[in-house]
Amino acid sequence: MRQVRRGPAAPPHGPGVPPQPSYVDGRGYGDPAGTPGADPGYDSGYNTGQVYGSPGGRGPAGTGTGAGRPAPNWGRRIKWTAVTVVAVLLVTSVATYFWADSKLRREVDLSKVIDRPSGGEGTNYLIVGSDSREGMSAAEKKQLHTGSAEGKRTDSMMILHVGDNGDTLISLPRDSDVELPTFVGSESGKTYKGTGRHIKLNAAYATDGPELLVRTIEFNTGLRIDHYVEIGFAGFANIVDAVGGVDITIDKGFKDKYSGADFKAGKQTLNGEQALAFVRTRHAFAASDLERTKNQQKFLAALAHQVATPSTVLNPFKFYPVMGAGLDSLIVDKDMGLWDLGSMFFAMKGVNGGDGTSMNMPISGSSGGNLVWDKAKVKTLVDQLKNDEKVTVSGN
């Protein structure tokens, strides 16, 4: 049979593919005696796995001999991870700020307070616990032993001074004897002339609310109040429950049918209902209101410590309910900002943690059932606060 000699064929895949040897007589793999024109040193690649000039068997795009994919750039990955984390934290912080700021109830207008004393160094907060039953059902009033009285009265009042030379928390007994000054009605705008009449301090709040309470305290002390913060019964209990209860050590057990208190001595965890009973009780003590103010300060120290623990602050499922319960419960003045509120909280935490001074207003005696302030000590105390000096006066 006649043999047909085949000439070189065109590259089947275009340029870049080396000439293929002929396979006449089974030869052509680099055999000099093979197909005329074949490169005697040519290796098709089938022996090494390198096909079509692709080193390492990686196809036309391969480079190098057996090289893997490039090593990951860890520095760049870490950089972008850090940028992402910072961006998420920034967005979350901004969103949290505006959410929290929107929940503040700025209802007290201190611009309505007349004849105010001059300001001093530092910042003075008036912190009020009211017996407001706002939003409470009949069942909740019964459970919390609040009664059903209409209106609002003050169960506790404290001045917190925040300054550079130590913070000071001063409890003002609700039965303090004070003079009711001339004031302008917060709603009516009518001027009520002072007659020198003396009342219990909490009666000022009952008469015309926060503005008159601030006016009365400023008139009787000479200390300017910069910010006002108030919390009611239900709000206080909600905060305690939101934080999961507060641990406190009670030195001596006591009972009080009016507040519902029934405590044994020792360390225990109080829920919202128990906490409210603890800070409201006064009938069980010989010193009545003075002993109650000490318990209020003691509990606030424990509450502030509990709120500021990492298990609360770093846990969003606990932090936001606690913050929400607190902000929903507060009534503040129109100029109060979140930074002011934060400063107040951390100052109170520090004071009750031993980093400042905690005391009652100095008392010299009583008159007609009212507690009379020691005027000389009060003057010294106010002068030290106005000048932001370390407080040396002791309270009861």
mmCIF file of all heavy atoms in Angstrom, residues 246-251 264-270:
data_model
loop_
_atom_site.group_PDB
_atom_site.id
_atom_site.type_symbol
_atom_site.label_atom_id
_atom_site.label_comp_id
_atom_site.label_asym_id
_atom_site.label_seq_id
_atom_site.Cartn_x
_atom_site.Cartn_y
_atom_site.Cartn_z
ATOM 1 N N VAL A 246 -30.106 43.886 92.908
ATOM 2 C CA VAL A 246 -28.936 44.568 93.470
ATOM 3 C C VAL A 246 -28.518 43.880 94.762
ATOM 4 O O VAL A 246 -29.341 43.642 95.653
ATOM 5 C CB VAL A 246 -29.254 46.054 93.734
ATOM 6 C CG1 VAL A 246 -28.094 46.732 94.456
ATOM 7 C CG2 VAL A 246 -29.552 46.772 92.418
ATOM 8 N N ASP A 247 -27.229 43.575 94.849
ATOM 9 C CA ASP A 247 -26.679 42.949 96.061
ATOM 10 C C ASP A 247 -26.394 44.014 97.111
ATOM 11 O O ASP A 247 -25.769 45.043 96.812
ATOM 12 C CB ASP A 247 -25.386 42.207 95.738
ATOM 13 C CG ASP A 247 -25.598 41.058 94.769
ATOM 14 O OD1 ASP A 247 -26.687 40.473 94.798
ATOM 15 O OD2 ASP A 247 -24.666 40.758 93.995
ATOM 16 N N ILE A 248 -26.836 43.756 98.333
ATOM 17 C CA ILE A 248 -26.617 44.714 99.413
ATOM 18 C C ILE A 248 -26.537 43.964 100.743
ATOM 19 O O ILE A 248 -27.147 42.900 100.899
ATOM 20 C CB ILE A 248 -27.749 45.771 99.456
ATOM 21 C CG1 ILE A 248 -27.373 46.949 100.351
ATOM 22 C CG2 ILE A 248 -29.079 45.142 99.889
ATOM 23 C CD1 ILE A 248 -28.317 48.133 100.229
ATOM 24 N N THR A 249 -25.774 44.508 101.665
ATOM 25 C CA THR A 249 -25.665 43.919 102.995
ATOM 26 C C THR A 249 -26.432 44.785 103.988
ATOM 27 O O THR A 249 -26.163 45.985 104.111
ATOM 28 C CB THR A 249 -24.197 43.809 103.439
ATOM 29 O OG1 THR A 249 -23.493 42.964 102.516
ATOM 30 C CG2 THR A 249 -24.103 43.203 104.831
ATOM 31 N N ILE A 250 -27.403 44.198 104.670
ATOM 32 C CA ILE A 250 -28.220 44.913 105.652
ATOM 33 C C ILE A 250 -27.686 44.573 107.047
ATOM 34 O O ILE A 250 -27.613 43.398 107.427
ATOM 35 C CB ILE A 250 -29.700 44.513 105.518
ATOM 36 C CG1 ILE A 250 -30.210 44.916 104.118
ATOM 37 C CG2 ILE A 250 -30.551 45.177 106.601
ATOM 38 C CD1 ILE A 250 -31.638 44.495 103.831
ATOM 39 N N ASP A 251 -27.290 45.609 107.770
ATOM 40 C CA ASP A 251 -26.644 45.402 109.071
ATOM 41 C C ASP A 251 -27.603 44.850 110.121
ATOM 42 O O ASP A 251 -27.233 43.985 110.921
ATOM 43 C CB ASP A 251 -26.034 46.721 109.573
ATOM 44 C CG ASP A 251 -24.962 47.237 108.619
ATOM 45 O OD1 ASP A 251 -24.259 46.406 108.025
ATOM 46 O OD2 ASP A 251 -24.854 48.473 108.460
ATOM 47 N N LYS A 264 -34.170 40.607 106.761
ATOM 48 C CA LYS A 264 -33.287 40.030 107.765
ATOM 49 C C LYS A 264 -31.892 40.601 107.566
ATOM 50 O O LYS A 264 -31.558 41.100 106.484
ATOM 51 C CB LYS A 264 -33.261 38.502 107.637
ATOM 52 C CG LYS A 264 -34.573 37.823 108.029
ATOM 53 C CD LYS A 264 -34.457 36.317 107.885
ATOM 54 C CE LYS A 264 -35.685 35.615 108.467
ATOM 55 N NZ LYS A 264 -36.946 36.049 107.838
ATOM 56 N N ALA A 265 -31.076 40.526 108.581
ATOM 57 C CA ALA A 265 -29.706 41.016 108.475
ATOM 58 C C ALA A 265 -28.893 40.100 107.559
ATOM 59 O O ALA A 265 -29.175 38.904 107.443
ATOM 60 C CB ALA A 265 -29.071 41.094 109.856
ATOM 61 N N GLY A 266 -27.896 40.662 106.898
ATOM 62 C CA GLY A 266 -27.012 39.866 106.056
ATOM 63 C C GLY A 266 -27.021 40.307 104.603
ATOM 64 O O GLY A 266 -27.788 41.186 104.200
ATOM 65 N N LYS A 267 -26.177 39.671 103.820
ATOM 66 C CA LYS A 267 -26.070 39.995 102.397
ATOM 67 C C LYS A 267 -27.210 39.342 101.631
ATOM 68 O O LYS A 267 -27.524 38.174 101.853
ATOM 69 C CB LYS A 267 -24.732 39.510 101.848
ATOM 70 C CG LYS A 267 -24.488 39.921 100.406
ATOM 71 C CD LYS A 267 -23.102 39.516 99.941
ATOM 72 C CE LYS A 267 -22.857 39.956 98.499
ATOM 73 N NZ LYS A 267 -21.497 39.589 98.037
ATOM 74 N N GLN A 268 -27.833 40.088 100.723
ATOM 75 C CA GLN A 268 -28.953 39.577 99.950
ATOM 76 C C GLN A 268 -29.111 40.366 98.652
ATOM 77 O O GLN A 268 -28.536 41.449 98.496
ATOM 78 C CB GLN A 268 -30.243 39.638 100.765
ATOM 79 C CG GLN A 268 -30.507 40.980 101.435
ATOM 80 C CD GLN A 268 -31.309 40.833 102.710
ATOM 81 O OE1 GLN A 268 -32.507 40.580 102.650
ATOM 82 N NE2 GLN A 268 -30.666 40.986 103.850
ATOM 83 N N THR A 269 -29.874 39.795 97.732
ATOM 84 C CA THR A 269 -30.140 40.453 96.450
ATOM 85 C C THR A 269 -31.580 40.951 96.450
ATOM 86 O O THR A 269 -32.511 40.160 96.624
ATOM 87 C CB THR A 269 -29.925 39.476 95.278
ATOM 88 O OG1 THR A 269 -28.580 39.003 95.298
ATOM 89 C CG2 THR A 269 -30.178 40.181 93.950
ATOM 90 N N LEU A 270 -31.743 42.247 96.259
ATOM 91 C CA LEU A 270 -33.076 42.855 96.279
ATOM 92 C C LEU A 270 -33.599 43.041 94.867
ATOM 93 O O LEU A 270 -32.892 43.559 94.004
ATOM 94 C CB LEU A 270 -33.033 44.213 96.990
ATOM 95 C CG LEU A 270 -32.444 44.264 98.405
ATOM 96 C CD1 LEU A 270 -32.659 45.653 98.990
ATOM 97 C CD2 LEU A 270 -33.066 43.209 99.297
#
